[in-house]
Amino acid sequence: MAFVCLAIGCLYNFLISTTFGYTLSSDTKIEVYPPQDFEIVDPGYLGYLYLQWQPPLSLDNFKECTVEYELKCRNIGSETWTTIITKNLHYKDGFDLNKGIEAKIRTLLPRQCTNGSEVQSSWAETTYWISPQGIPETKVQDMDCVYYNWQYLLCSWKPGIDVFLDTNYNLFYWYEGLDRALQCVDYIKADGQNIGCRFPYLESSDYKDFYICVNGSSEDEPIRSSYFIFQLQNIVKPLPPGYLTLTRESLYEVQLKWSIPFGPIPARCLIYEIEIIEDDTTLVTITVENETYTLKTTNETRQLCFLVRSKVNMYCSDDGIWSEWSEKQCLEGEDLLKKTLLLFLVPLVFISIFIIFITDLPLNKPNTSLEMNFSMINEEFMFQET
């Protein structure tokens, strides 16, 4: 009888392990295998990589519960992991190809399948590197990209340190929506060398990772490639505001006004920085959200000037670049006095004339009833004489 029970227990363990991919030891500890064929695949998108794997052994018929996977990945040297819990067999993300990538994954069995305790497999690990060519000093220096007015992307760089004169660089770019990486077709050149790229219109490229690779070639030495990742809305440089005006609102207040920069950036996405100059001295620099600002002044001000610049705000981007300053707009002391007089004395004169007219009107109005009484008395007197 004991032999039969032992045989049944062994058969049960065998069926569980072969059907569900985990083993059941004599102390009922459940174990599950890690995913198979875990790898990092580079599809040629300049840093946008595929991480993919296959289910653990013997889980093809595991239908009672949904298996999940815990994935961790990062650039080598980074202090933090990106952690994903997924039911899929793949994951896509962007990485800095200037560094290596490491990733690890394990299988998770939910509690309802394992007598109330979550079961985890051991980790399966993998790494990915692009074999570097050339010494680091040969790669481009001072890479700078600006998305002018949210319309035109321009990137520029300097050649590597002490590279040979025949060294030249090429730029490639990709973002989600393109079926392949594209090469720059409009290079900026200096002394026959490519030192920048003017990009064409980039359709549907906002709020996506934008990947760039700048590699190079020389007959005398290999050139190190450089990789960059950014989002276009975070490198926007707007045009400066226009149509600056100063208007005297009261004896001690001047209203500053300007128009939003020309172009596609909506007003709700902009903030402004105002520099106020009073009598050749910078009075204050203020950041505001609207296209107006009321400034307190004194009668002793001889000259009042201001400039404005713009930037994409935190509601539309994580970062941005300030525009150039607008042209300076000024009011001289004489202009301030004239505007004050026009604003207050002219209305006062009109009010005074109106009051005089109103008060003088009853004095000049003819008394018709009195004139009629005198006329009747005069006619009666003349009748009696007759």
Side-chain angles (χ1 to χ4, degrees):
M1 183 66 180
F3 177 77
V4 173
C5 292
L6 180 62
I8 293 175
C10 293
L11 178 62
Y12 173 77
N13 288 347
F14 174 77
L15 290 175
I16 290 294
S17 62
T18 56
T19 304
F20 299 141
Y22 55 77
T23 60
L24 197 62
S25 61
S26 57
D27 58 355
T28 68
K29 181 180 178 182
I30 301 174
E31 296 180 353
V32 65
Y33 298 113
Q36 303 180 86
D37 303 327
F38 182 42
E39 61 179 343
I40 300 174
V41 178
D42 187 350
Y45 296 153
L46 313 180
Y48 189 71
L49 304 179
Y50 298 167
L51 288 76
Q52 56 191 36
W53 56 93
Q54 295 299 321
L57 287 171
S58 304
L59 280 184
D60 294 337
N61 299 320
F62 190 42
K63 299 178 181 180
E64 286 76 7
C65 297
T66 302
V67 177
E68 292 183 333
Y69 304 97
E70 181 181 3
L71 171 68
K72 291 180 176 289
C73 53
R74 66 180 179 181
N75 274 111
I76 293 177
S78 174
E79 296 182 355
T80 58
W81 292 88
T82 297
T83 301
I84 303 295
I85 304 296
T86 181
K87 300 173 184 177
N88 299 322
L89 297 175
H90 59 83
Y91 175 72
K92 302 176 183 180
D93 205 350
F95 298 89
D96 181 3
L97 292 187
N98 297 300
K99 307 172 184 177
I101 298 97
E102 59 181 342
K104 56 184 180 179
I105 191 170
R106 61 184 177 182
T107 308
L108 304 178
L109 290 181
R111 297 177 184 275
Q112 59 267 30
C113 301
T114 57
N115 297 326
S117 61
E118 185 178 75
V119 175
Q120 305 168 345
S121 74
S122 60
W123 291 102
E125 300 183 6
T126 189
T127 58
Y128 179 77
W129 293 83
I130 288 185
S131 300
Q133 296 183 350
I135 60 175
E137 288 75 17
T138 60
K139 66 181 182 180
V140 294
Q141 308 291 312
D142 300 332
M143 181 73 167
D144 183 47
C145 293
V146 179
Y147 199 25
Y148 287 98
N149 210 35
W150 214 312
Q151 291 177 301
Y152 312 106
L153 178 62
L154 188 147
C155 291
S156 60
W157 59 82
K158 295 178 181 178
I161 301 172
D162 296 330
V163 295
F164 289 93
L165 294 178
D166 71 332
T167 302
N168 210 354
Y169 297 93
N170 297 297
L171 181 146
F172 297 84
Y173 65 95
W174 182 87
Y175 60 89
E176 195 169 359
L178 299 180
D179 57 359
R180 59 187 175 84
L182 301 178
Q183 183 177 1
C184 176
V185 295
D186 187 9
Y187 284 107
I188 303 168
K189 296 179 179 288
D191 300 325
Q193 254 185 351
N194 297 335
I195 60 166
C197 175
R198 300 182 190 91
F199 289 76
Y201 172 69
L202 301 169
E203 184 177 1
S204 302
S205 57
D206 301 337
Y207 301 100
K208 300 177 181 179
D209 285 338
F210 195 93
Y211 299 84
I212 286 180
C213 171
V214 181
N215 59 23
S217 61
S218 170
E219 294 184 357
D220 298 293
E221 63 177 342
I223 304 299
R224 178 73 63 92
S225 298
S226 296
Y227 297 88
F228 306 90
I229 307 173
F230 49 81
Q231 293 197 355
L232 296 184
Q233 76 277 359
N234 295 332
I235 57 170
V236 171
K237 182 177 182 179
L239 292 174
Y243 302 107
L244 278 65
T245 60
L246 296 91
T247 304
R248 172 67 71 174
E249 294 293 317
S250 68
L251 284 172
Y252 302 104
E253 290 184 345
V254 174
Q255 187 179 66
L256 315 179
K257 280 188 176 182
W258 57 92
S259 64
I260 66 173
F262 177 79
I265 306 176
R268 60 180 174 80
C269 287
L270 291 168
I271 57 172
Y272 303 96
E273 191 173 69
I274 312 169
E275 185 175 275
I276 299 169
I277 304 168
E278 186 175 356
D279 299 333
D280 297 327
T281 301
T282 299
L283 185 64
V284 67
T285 300
I286 304 167
T287 302
V288 298
E289 295 183 356
N290 300 315
E291 291 79 44
T292 61
Y293 180 75
T294 300
L295 175 67
K296 304 293 183 180
T297 62
T298 64
N299 289 332
E300 290 78 18
T301 301
R302 298 188 304 273
Q303 185 188 60
L304 183 66
C305 302
F306 82 106
L307 308 88
V308 187
R309 61 180 182 175
S310 59
K311 180 182 176 182
V312 177
N313 62 30
M314 58 184 251
Y315 304 108
C316 297
S317 70
D318 295 328
D319 201 355
I321 303 171
W322 284 107
S323 74
E324 301 297 326
W325 286 102
S326 67
E327 293 185 1
K328 186 189 298 185
Q329 183 69 22
C330 297
L331 276 179
E332 302 296 333
E334 183 178 351
D335 293 331
L336 290 172
L337 180 60
K338 287 180 180 179
K339 288 183 177 291
T340 303
L341 291 175
L342 288 174
L343 184 63
F344 295 102
L345 295 184
V346 172
L348 183 61
V349 169
F350 277 104
I351 292 172
S352 301
I353 293 174
F354 180 73
I355 293 173
I356 292 172
F357 177 75
I358 293 298
T359 56
D360 188 56
L361 185 60
L363 297 176
N364 295 329
K365 182 178 180 181
N367 194 331
T368 54
S369 61
L370 185 62
E371 289 180 357
M372 289 179 62
N373 290 336
F374 277 111
S375 177
M376 292 176 63
I377 294 172
N378 188 36
E379 289 179 0
E380 184 177 355
F381 179 76
M382 291 179 62
F383 176 76
Q384 289 177 358
E385 284 187 345
T386 303

